[in-house]
Amino acid sequence: MPQRHLNGRVIWYTQAKVVGGGSTINAQLYTRGNAKDYDAWQTEAGCEGWSYRDVLPYFKRAEDNQRLVNDYHGYGGPLGVSYPVNPPPISFAFLRAAQEAGIPFNDDFNGAVQDGIGHYQLTTAHCRAVLDGERLSRCRLRARNNLTVRLNTPTLKILV
């Protein structure tokens, strides 16, 4: 779609048509979204069992969080979650400038509050000598016994 503030230019964002999807290319951000959205799915859309309180235990069980274990985070799961290993120095200047402008600092966008400024958590491996700081693509899940991967296969329905 042409962007008005880019003089009508169109910026193409290539989606990952590879095993592992966006996690295989650039999309490493780990963000769950806002609890109110999950609650609305249950209350307004009738999706029983999709409130934030209902899905939070699954998020926690999936996580292998580098440094957070609390009401919102867990460890030992298949999804490595960590903070950037070497964020560029300019990112810290940006964070300070935002705080000076009145935007509150947030060290955990997957915690109690999503508003603010801070570094996002990433789906990068940690605490494993071979994978330390390496991108944790979802294609690594192919080795699981309870998962079958079929390439070039149109999907019409997923039953859980």
Side-chain angles (χ1 to χ4, degrees):
M1 167 179 279
Q3 300 296 306
R4 179 173 52 128
H5 297 291
L6 293 173
N7 295 324
R9 287 183 295 155
V10 174
I11 296 179
W12 296 100
Y13 180 75
T14 305
Q15 296 296 313
K17 289 184 91 174
V18 296
V19 175
S23 67
T24 301
I25 56 167
N26 293 326
Q28 291 180 286
L29 294 183
Y30 178 62
T31 181
R32 304 173 186 159
N34 193 288
K36 292 177 185 176
D37 292 329
Y38 292 91
D39 293 342
W41 292 338
Q42 179 165 303
T43 59
E44 297 171 23
C47 299
E48 202 59 38
W50 279 92
S51 73
Y52 189 71
R53 181 184 298 260
D54 290 334
V55 298
L56 182 59
Y58 296 98
F59 282 127
K60 289 174 65 173
R61 194 168 74 201
E63 270 188 38
D64 187 13
N65 200 293
Q66 176 186 23
R67 68 179 202 187
L68 301 174
V69 178
N70 56 32
D71 291 340
Y72 298 94
H73 298 284
Y75 68 96
L79 181 64
V81 178
S82 63
Y83 282 87
V85 176
N86 294 311
I90 195 164
S91 70
F92 294 104
F94 180 79
L95 295 178
R96 284 191 305 271
Q99 291 172 77
E100 287 176 11
I103 299 173
F105 181 75
N106 187 344
D107 195 33
D108 182 10
F109 292 104
N110 294 307
V113 176
Q114 283 72 50
D115 296 337
I117 188 80
H119 285 116
Y120 280 101
Q121 294 171 14
L122 308 172
T123 54
T124 51
H126 60 275
C127 301
R128 297 177 211 125
V130 174
L131 300 175
D132 195 27
E134 180 182 327
R135 178 187 312 274
L136 186 61
S137 169
R138 292 300 90 217
C139 69
R140 291 185 187 274
L141 295 179
R142 291 173 63 181
R144 295 175 63 125
N145 292 334
N146 63 348
L147 176 67
T148 301
V149 176
R150 298 204 169 125
L151 303 176
N152 301 313
T153 305
T155 302
L156 303 175
K157 183 188 213 178
I158 296 175
L159 299 176
V160 179

